[in-house]
């Protein structure tokens, strides 16, 4: 009898139920791998899950698995693999409404993760509408929140407010269906609306939202959101003239980051405080804050240096005491002169080290601004190549920039002119002439420039990679060539550049 009931149950189980059960079991395995820190095992299990659902034609589970895989690849910084996966996902989504909607969402995530909000916006907008039509309200809500962030980034505030109205309605539907309060989503909804109202100058409505935001923040009890909330509230208080309240919020953030040793963040909030004080006419306070900002912006290096200096000072003071006693006993003026020379030498070394740190930091900041300017100019040229009447050389150069942006071919140490020319459907001479005309460089110098820029950006980020490994990843076949070109281009060694970035 028991066997009969079991057979009847298995017969009655629908394919959808079976797919969900298999998906749940495999996702439980994914969670185990993730918690164990097994990145490669996790990615392999993700790809296996994608293949399993593809073979069994489980559309919803397939694209959920794709989304999980893409999210992890981006978090791990493996953007080439993420792009290849996104392209495959897009191909598999043809003819599938759920596949198309999730793919649009993932394209938005990819562009936003690469700091391209203008490109992310249209994808999020389509995903927001398509996911709602399919009843995928939770993911639609995520798309709506991200679309608001994009709108604020692009200063399209009225558009952001319209989306906020839509997410409010959607959130109410989700809560009604689930019967449960969505505290985390309510917090995001109120935070975005609070900031939008501020930036639109609608301070009366912002005032009404402030307490709501703080209430949801307290309910959520997520300390990682403190900076977002306190920053938004500080900006509000500054805008409505409550300057002391604004100062207090920023000071809370400064002191917290100093306690945690996050000197760069502390410096950023210190600069915001100094700007507020300047706007309010509190010039004496602003001067003091700017001075502290200048010190804190170099605090990571200063902290390490201070530890060394403290130890050296103690040793020096002890040695000085011994020499003074000896001089008193023996009247040995020669030893006193040596002490003076040591003090002068130490002072000179410290002054030189500080000057070098400041010089390198200034160079780093200048290069960082140069990176952004170059990337924006390149992006504008790529976008204009499709709409404006450019010369043949400009279009070819724009095509080369687009190819480099999308595939980062410069990372291949064996990259040749012929390879690039073939990819662009031209010959090596035309390509070299286009680069010379538009960039003022030889093709080889152009490729090395992209490698150096990629390496510099990598060195400016927190990473466990060695300097040599960064050069190798950037496409330099020779360590010595990488060091030599980097020094020539940026005026400091790769190691000094990394130190300046972290300072």
């Amino acid at each position: 009898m028991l066997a009969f009931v079991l057979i009847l149950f298995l017969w009655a189980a629908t394919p959808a139920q079976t797919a969900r059960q298999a998906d749940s079991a495999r996702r439980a395995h994914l969670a185990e791998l993730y918690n164990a820190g097994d990145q490669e095992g996790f990615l392999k299990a993700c790809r296996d899950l994608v293949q399993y659902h593809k073979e069994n034609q489980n559309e919803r589970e397939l694209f959920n698995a794709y989304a999980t895989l893409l999210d992890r690849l981006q978090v791990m910084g493996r953007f080439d693999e993420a792009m290849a996966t996104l392209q495959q996902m897009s191909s598999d989504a043809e003819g599938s409404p759920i596949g198309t909607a999730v793919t649009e969402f993932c394209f938005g995530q990819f562009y936003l993760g690469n700091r391209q909000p203008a490109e992310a916006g249209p994808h999020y907008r389509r995903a927001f509408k398509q996911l709602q039509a399919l009843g995928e309200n939770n993911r639609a809500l995520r798309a709506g929140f991200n679309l608001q962030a994009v709108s604020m980034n692009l200063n399209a505030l009225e558009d952001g407010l319209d989306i906020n109205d839509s997410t409010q309605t959607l959130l109410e539907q989700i809560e009604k269906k689930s019967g449960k309060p969505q505290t985390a989503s309510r917090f995001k909804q109120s935070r975005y609306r609070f900031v939008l109202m501020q930036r639109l100058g609608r301070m009366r409505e912002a005032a009404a939202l402030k307490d709501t935001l703080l209430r949801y923040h307290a309910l959520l009890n997520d300390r990682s959101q403190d900076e977002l909330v306190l920053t938004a509230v500080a900006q509000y208080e500054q805008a409505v003239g409550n300057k002391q309240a604004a100062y207090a919020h920023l000071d809370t953030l400064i002191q917290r980051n100093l306690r945690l040793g996050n000197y760069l963040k502390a410096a950023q909030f210190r600069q915001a405080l100094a700007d507020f004080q300047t706007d309010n006419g509190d010039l004496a306070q602003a001067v003091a804050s700017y001075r502290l900002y200048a010190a804190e912006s170099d605090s990571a290096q200063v902290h390490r240096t201070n530890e060394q200096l403290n130890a050296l000072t103690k040793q020096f003071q002890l040695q000085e005491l011994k020499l003074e006693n000896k001089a008193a006993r023996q009247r040995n003026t020669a030893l006193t002169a040596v002490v003076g020379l040591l003090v002068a030498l130490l002072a000179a070394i410290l002054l030189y080290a500080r000057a070098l740190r400041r010089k390198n930091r200034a160079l780093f900041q200048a290069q960082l601004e140069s990176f952004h300017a170059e990337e924006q100019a390149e992006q504008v040229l790529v976008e204009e190549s499709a709409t404006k009447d450019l010369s043949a050389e400009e279009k070819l150069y724009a095509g080369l920039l687009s190819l480099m942006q999308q595939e980062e071919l410069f990372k291949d140490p064996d990259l040749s002119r012929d390879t690039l020319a073939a990819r662009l459907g031209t010959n090596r001479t035309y390509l070299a002439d286009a680069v010379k005309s538009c960039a003022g460089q030889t093709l080889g110098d152009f490729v090395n420039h992209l490698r150096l820029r990629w390496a510099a950006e990598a060195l400016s980020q927190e990473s466990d990679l060695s300097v040599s490994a960064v050069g190798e990843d950037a496409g330099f076949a020779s360590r010595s060539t990488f060091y030599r070109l980097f020094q020539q281009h940026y005026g400091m060694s790769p190691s000094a550049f990394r130190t300046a970035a972290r300072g």
Side-chain angles (χ1 to χ4, degrees):
M1 184 65 180
L2 181 61
F4 174 75
V5 172
L6 180 61
I7 292 171
L8 184 62
F9 172 77
L10 293 174
W11 175 80
T14 65
Q17 289 173 327
T18 303
R20 284 195 294 272
Q21 291 167 358
D23 186 70
S24 296
R26 288 173 180 266
R27 285 189 175 275
H29 180 54
L30 281 176
E32 292 174 1
L33 293 170
Y34 179 81
N35 291 331
D38 184 357
Q39 289 190 356
E40 295 304 323
F42 182 90
L43 292 178
K44 181 181 183 303
C46 270
R47 293 188 174 99
D48 289 345
L49 185 60
V50 167
Q51 189 59 35
Y52 171 80
H53 287 310
K54 188 182 295 187
E55 291 172 356
N56 289 277
Q57 299 181 347
N58 305 320
E59 285 188 359
R60 192 175 300 274
E61 290 80 6
L62 169 62
F63 291 100
N64 283 336
Y66 262 131
T68 300
L69 175 57
L70 279 164
D71 179 69
R72 288 300 94 193
L73 286 170
Q74 280 194 269
V75 169
M76 295 175 189
R78 297 164 72 155
F79 297 111
D80 289 343
E81 294 175 63
M83 177 57 77
T85 302
L86 193 55
Q87 290 171 341
Q88 183 60 52
M89 181 183 184
S90 182
S91 175
D92 290 343
E94 292 184 11
S96 167
I98 184 64
T100 300
V102 176
T103 300
E104 290 285 4
F105 178 85
C106 288
F107 265 109
Q109 296 286 86
F110 185 83
Y111 280 120
L112 192 62
N114 283 278
R115 294 177 295 181
Q116 295 175 274
E119 288 73 17
H123 292 289
Y124 278 134
R125 193 175 298 278
R126 288 190 289 268
F128 185 55
K129 293 180 180 179
Q130 293 168 5
L131 289 165
Q132 287 184 81
L134 292 166
E136 292 285 326
N137 288 344
N138 287 312
R139 184 173 271 137
L141 189 62
R142 287 180 61 196
F145 285 149
N146 289 345
L147 189 54
Q148 290 174 63
V150 167
S151 298
M152 287 191 285
N153 187 283
L154 300 176
N155 207 33
L157 303 180
E158 293 291 350
D159 183 56
L161 191 56
D162 288 342
I163 297 298
N164 188 270
D165 290 337
S166 298
T167 53
Q168 174 67 25
T169 301
L170 183 57
L171 183 52
E172 290 169 356
Q173 293 173 0
I174 292 172
E175 288 183 328
K176 183 178 180 180
K177 184 176 180 180
S178 67
K180 298 178 181 178
Q182 305 292 311
T183 303
S185 296
R186 284 287 179 185
F187 166 73
K188 287 185 179 179
Q189 174 72 14
S190 59
R191 180 168 63 82
Y192 281 123
R193 195 169 191 86
F194 178 62
V195 175
L196 281 164
M197 288 302 180
Q198 282 189 65
R199 293 181 59 180
L200 285 166
R202 294 162 64 170
M203 290 304 167
R204 181 174 296 178
E205 291 162 277
L209 287 164
K210 186 180 75 166
D211 290 340
T212 302
L213 172 61
L214 294 175
R215 178 165 57 86
Y216 280 121
H217 179 51
L219 288 172
L220 188 62
N221 194 28
D222 183 356
R223 298 276 70 83
S224 67
Q225 301 296 323
D226 286 356
E227 289 188 0
L228 289 172
V229 173
L230 290 179
T231 300
V233 174
Q235 290 169 342
Y236 164 79
E237 300 292 2
Q238 171 73 2
V240 298
N242 298 332
K243 66 178 184 178
Q244 295 304 328
Y247 296 169
H249 289 309
L250 289 178
D251 189 63
T252 297
L253 293 172
I254 291 166
Q255 299 308 319
R256 175 180 297 171
N257 281 288
L258 287 176
R259 285 195 303 272
L260 295 173
N262 298 330
Y263 297 110
L264 184 57
K265 277 193 173 182
Q268 291 169 347
F269 289 121
R270 184 78 71 184
Q271 184 182 31
L273 175 59
D275 290 343
F276 279 7
Q277 290 165 338
T278 301
D279 292 343
N280 293 328
D282 297 329
L283 300 184
Q285 295 179 52
V287 169
S289 294
Y290 278 125
R291 284 175 178 166
L292 287 170
Y293 161 71
E296 287 162 359
S297 65
D298 203 27
S299 286
Q301 180 64 33
V302 168
H303 182 70
R304 290 190 294 268
T305 303
N306 282 343
E307 291 179 345
Q308 298 170 345
L309 286 177
N310 288 337
L312 182 60
T313 300
K314 289 177 182 178
Q315 293 176 8
F316 175 76
Q317 288 172 342
L318 180 60
Q319 182 66 20
E320 186 180 46
L321 180 60
K322 290 178 180 178
L323 290 175
E324 286 176 354
N325 290 337
K326 190 173 182 179
R329 290 193 305 268
Q330 301 178 359
R331 304 289 186 226
N332 191 336
T333 55
L335 287 176
T336 304
V338 169
V339 173
L341 288 173
L342 285 173
V343 172
L345 180 60
L346 178 61
I349 290 172
L350 293 177
L351 288 172
Y352 174 78
R354 175 171 291 185
L356 184 60
R357 285 198 307 272
R358 292 190 180 279
K359 173 191 171 186
N360 286 348
R361 184 66 185 174
L363 283 172
F364 166 76
Q365 293 290 357
Q367 293 298 340
L368 199 62
E369 294 174 2
S370 176
F371 294 161
H372 295 157
E374 284 183 6
E375 289 170 349
Q376 289 174 359
E378 290 170 0
Q379 188 61 36
V380 168
L381 181 59
V382 170
E383 292 172 354
E384 289 182 349
S385 66
T387 58
K388 290 195 174 181
D389 186 18
L390 303 178
S391 68
E393 286 184 334
E394 288 174 328
K395 287 185 177 180
L396 181 56
Y397 179 66
L400 175 61
L401 287 175
S402 179
L403 184 63
M404 288 298 191
Q405 289 172 359
Q406 294 174 11
E407 300 187 22
E408 297 186 331
L409 297 180
F410 55 83
K411 289 186 176 181
D412 180 4
D414 299 320
L415 182 65
S416 67
R417 284 187 183 182
D418 292 333
T419 299
L420 284 174
R423 290 296 304 274
L424 293 165
T426 185
N427 64 55
R428 55 188 291 172
T429 301
Y430 287 150
L431 181 58
D433 289 344
V435 173
K436 188 68 175 177
S437 174
C438 296
Q441 297 174 302
T442 66
L443 185 55
D445 288 342
F446 169 80
V447 172
N448 279 335
H449 179 75
L450 294 180
R451 288 169 175 162
L452 289 170
R453 191 171 74 190
W454 186 92
E457 290 181 326
L459 289 169
S460 69
Q461 300 169 359
E462 290 293 334
S463 171
D464 293 328
L465 283 178
S466 66
V467 171
S468 296
V470 170
E472 184 177 346
D473 287 353
F476 288 99
S478 165
R479 179 178 179 274
S480 61
T481 300
F482 170 53
Y483 274 65
R484 176 175 55 81
L485 292 179
F486 197 101
Q487 178 75 43
Q488 289 177 357
H489 192 78
Y490 294 117
M492 68 182 94
S493 69
S495 299
F497 190 93
R498 169 173 276 178
T499 299
R502 294 179 177 179

